[in-house]
Amino acid sequence: MLLNHESSQLVLIDYQEKLMPAIHQADDVYKNALILATLAKKLRVPVFGTEHVPDKIGSFIPALGAFCKATMRKTHFSACPEGLIDLLTSKAPAGNARSLPKHLQKNNQESERPSIVIAGVEAHVCLLQTALDLLNEEMEVWVVTDACGSRTDRNRDAAFDRLAGNGAELVTTEMVVFEWLESAENEHFKFALDLIK
């Protein structure tokens, strides 16, 4: 199974000014997030951001936030209880769908872009909990490992193990880039190559 840019959405979790300096290999994590967001914009892949209690740990990094269609503030570690699912699903329930059983509501809320490409910090807290909630909602979750971080590599790696065990696809930035492009004949191939060099 390969990613397709036309069925993808990108979610960037908590790349915040006061948090990033504490993240293991923060420069690489941020650089890869910027690559993803830049190419997503070029390919018209919707990008959404989250920021966790920004008054405490700083705002979403503006250079990255500029690519986001929306950036939602949250206090829960998972972004899903505070509205991420609504942002990602493009079809609203019809009629009195809220009175339907949950499994029928999901069918009404099915997204036209079911592949959720997700990256962020901290991998073992907000990213993990958000991704697990998305999986629980039966969405396809693709975790971009080299654009994710925690304060320690042990916590980050434990998150990846748990996510893979629960059905998330673990990918890298370059995997996403080349799967979104599909071919060297893609009109944005040179643009993408310049991004990853």
Side-chain angles (χ1 to χ4, degrees), residues 6-76:
E6 291 178 345
S7 63
S8 295
Q9 298 181 78
L10 177 62
V11 177
L12 302 173
I13 302 287
D14 301 355
Y15 292 93
Q16 291 170 252
E17 293 169 321
K18 292 181 184 174
L19 180 57
M20 287 307 293
I23 299 300
H24 179 67
Q25 298 177 325
D27 290 346
D28 290 337
V29 168
Y30 176 72
K31 179 185 124 203
N32 288 323
L34 205 51
I35 290 169
L36 291 168
T38 305
L39 185 60
K41 182 177 181 182
K42 184 65 87 172
L43 296 175
R44 296 192 175 118
V45 172
V47 182
F48 301 97
T50 69
E51 54 183 4
H52 189 73
V53 287
D55 53 319
K56 303 261 195 245
I57 56 176
S59 298
F60 198 86
I61 297 173
L64 197 53
F67 293 98
C68 295
K69 187 175 176 180
T71 300
M72 59 173 284
R73 293 180 173 210
K74 62 185 181 65
T75 57
H76 286 82

Side-chain angles (χ1 to χ4, degrees), residues 110-123:
E110 199 170 281
S111 174
E112 292 176 7
R113 291 180 173 264
S115 299
I116 311 304
V117 179
I118 187 170
V121 297
E122 284 193 65

Side-chain angles (χ1 to χ4, degrees), residues 2-6 8 10 31-43 45 117 142 144 146-147 171-184 186-197:
L2 298 173
L3 277 168
N4 181 297
H5 74 275
E6 291 178 345
S8 295
L10 177 62
K31 179 185 124 203
N32 288 323
L34 205 51
I35 290 169
L36 291 168
T38 305
L39 185 60
K41 182 177 181 182
K42 184 65 87 172
L43 296 175
V45 172
V117 179
W142 304 71
V144 189
D146 58 354
V171 293
T172 65
T173 299
E174 289 197 17
M175 285 177 175
V176 175
V177 166
F178 290 108
E179 288 177 34
W180 276 353
L181 291 172
E182 293 183 61
S183 165
N186 186 299
E187 64 179 310
H188 303 299
F189 180 69
K190 171 82 168 66
F191 176 83
L193 279 185
D194 290 342
L195 278 179
I196 63 177
K197 284 182 182 176

Side-chain angles (χ1 to χ4, degrees), residues 44-194:
R44 296 192 175 118
V45 172
V47 182
F48 301 97
T50 69
E51 54 183 4
H52 189 73
V53 287
D55 53 319
K56 303 261 195 245
I57 56 176
S59 298
F60 198 86
I61 297 173
L64 197 53
F67 293 98
C68 295
K69 187 175 176 180
T71 300
M72 59 173 284
R73 293 180 173 210
K74 62 185 181 65
T75 57
H76 286 82
F77 298 118
S78 170
C80 294
E82 297 187 48
L84 182 62
I85 302 287
D86 293 333
L87 286 177
L88 298 175
T89 53
S90 57
K91 294 178 184 174
N96 64 350
R98 289 176 191 243
S99 64
L100 294 174
K102 190 173 182 181
H103 71 282
L104 294 177
Q105 289 181 29
K106 284 182 192 173
N107 291 336
N108 286 334
Q109 292 178 352
E110 199 170 281
S111 174
E112 292 176 7
R113 291 180 173 264
S115 299
I116 311 304
V117 179
I118 187 170
V121 297
E122 284 193 65
H124 67 295
V125 185
C126 294
L127 177 110
L128 172 81
Q129 292 187 31
T130 301
L132 290 175
D133 276 351
L134 291 171
L135 287 165
N136 191 48
E137 292 293 320
E138 299 178 3
M139 295 179 139
E140 294 175 22
V141 177
W142 304 71
V143 179
V144 189
T145 56
D146 58 354
C148 294
S150 293
R151 284 164 291 139
T152 67
D153 56 354
R154 179 173 288 178
N155 279 326
R156 179 201 62 206
D157 294 347
F160 296 156
D161 288 345
R162 191 165 168 201
L163 287 162
N166 281 282
E169 292 283 341
L170 302 187
V171 293
T172 65
T173 299
E174 289 197 17
M175 285 177 175
V176 175
V177 166
F178 290 108
E179 288 177 34
W180 276 353
L181 291 172
E182 293 183 61
S183 165
E185 294 179 355
N186 186 299
E187 64 179 310
H188 303 299
F189 180 69
K190 171 82 168 66
F191 176 83
L193 279 185
D194 290 342

